[in-house]
Amino acid sequence: QVQLMQSGAEVKEPGASVRISCKASGYTFTHYYIHWVRQAPGQGLEWMGIINVKAGSTSYAEKFQGRITMTRDTSTDTVYMDLSSLRSEDTAVYYCARGGEGSAWGEWFDPWGQGTLVIVSS
Amino acid sequence: VLTQSPDTLSLSPGERATLSCRASHSVNYNYLAWYQQKPGQAPRLLIFGASSRATGIPDRFSGSGSGTDFTLTINRLEPEDFAMYYCQQFDGSPRYTFGRGTKLEIK
């Protein structure tokens, strides 16, 4: 079955960077886009950006421009999300989610990874 | 902006739940989805294209609406249905936005 498996929880100091991985299985990795969505404690969902896994091209939400980088490794079916200059407000659970197929970004997210908790604290 | 109402809905098992999602501008091609999220879990896709059920979703879940007003209806509530529900729209560009959610709790 289609699965997205994310890396484990991270604790970072303010100003540091974090890298989260998302390993896909159960489908042809390069056929689908991957999104990143985050959820602060007790809060709603916030879309961060999308990567075209086949081409490697990306599009980021304006809020994260300059701090976020999404990459992929097609040899291991893994997508990475790097977030830099971390601040306390970045404490959240970060999710990867599969998007559209082929050349379409897709209109919804399915399935989702299990989530990765990132805590930013001194 | 997507506005969900009510913030909290208190119902009993067996009752019908009606959740609302209102968009600040018309949603293109009804690109509106609904998700269920239980504590400590990732969201799960329920409805896409405003009214199409995702794979494996029971038929007691239904979505309706168009333009700016959308509804998620859950008939004959089961104990496992009590959770948070989020609507989400696709604006193109690409850009995606979520509502703040409705908590469906047991009365």
Side-chain angles (χ1 to χ4, degrees):
Chain A
Q1 73 280 24
V2 176
Q3 275 192 314
L4 299 174
M5 189 61 62
Q6 299 183 221
S7 49
E10 303 267 9
V11 179
K12 297 291 183 180
E13 293 191 347
S17 297
V18 68
R19 165 170 280 202
I20 304 170
S21 66
C22 171
K23 182 173 174 59
S25 62
Y27 70 97
T28 303
F29 180 62
T30 53
H31 284 191
Y32 289 82
Y33 288 72
I34 292 286
H35 299 267
W36 289 90
V37 177
R38 77 177 185 180
Q39 186 172 36
Q43 302 301 310
L45 300 161
E46 180 176 33
W47 180 75
M48 301 179 72
I50 183 173
I51 182 168
N52 178 325
V53 172
K54 184 173 185 177
S57 55
T58 56
S59 183
Y60 304 133
E62 190 173 340
K63 176 177 180 177
F64 302 101
Q65 291 275 2
R67 287 208 299 143
I68 191 171
T69 305
M70 295 178 187
T71 56
R72 91 290 192 225
D73 182 345
T74 56
S75 69
T76 61
D77 292 356
T78 302
V79 171
Y80 299 93
M81 192 278 292
D82 295 299
L83 191 62
S84 62
S85 302
L86 291 169
R87 35 211 187 228
S88 59
E89 310 89 87
D90 294 317
T91 293
V93 176
Y94 290 77
Y95 295 100
C96 60
R98 196 177 73 167
E101 183 177 11
S103 60
W105 294 310
E107 298 84 47
W108 60 85
F109 312 105
D110 181 52
W112 297 57
Q114 84 275 21
T116 296
L117 174 62
V118 175
I119 296 172
V120 183
S121 174
S122 54
Chain B
V1 176
L2 291 176
T3 302
Q4 292 188 240
S5 61
D7 291 336
T8 303
L9 184 58
S10 300
L11 293 170
S12 301
E15 292 190 297
R16 172 187 295 174
T18 303
L19 286 67
S20 173
C21 177
R22 177 164 291 178
S24 57
H25 59 270
S26 186
V27 178
N28 292 333
Y29 304 105
N30 285 344
Y31 288 153
L32 193 288
W34 289 92
Y35 301 85
Q36 177 193 68
Q37 186 179 33
K38 297 180 180 179
Q41 296 185 17
R44 176 175 71 144
L45 177 69
L46 298 174
I47 301 288
F48 62 92
S51 60
S52 298
R53 266 189 305 277
T55 302
I57 301 303
D59 61 7
R60 64 179 183 273
F61 291 88
S62 63
S64 62
S66 63
T68 60
D69 290 298
F70 299 87
T71 301
L72 174 69
T73 301
I74 313 171
N75 290 311
R76 304 177 308 277
L77 283 167
E78 298 283 348
E80 62 266 28
D81 298 337
F82 293 90
M84 283 293 293
Y85 291 85
Y86 294 95
C87 59
Q88 169 253 316
Q89 71 171 346
F90 170 58
D91 290 339
S93 304
R95 194 165 73 101
Y96 302 80
T97 53
F98 292 88
R100 295 172 62 90
T102 290
K103 181 179 181 180
L104 178 58
E105 65 176 22
I106 298 178
K107 188 173 182 179

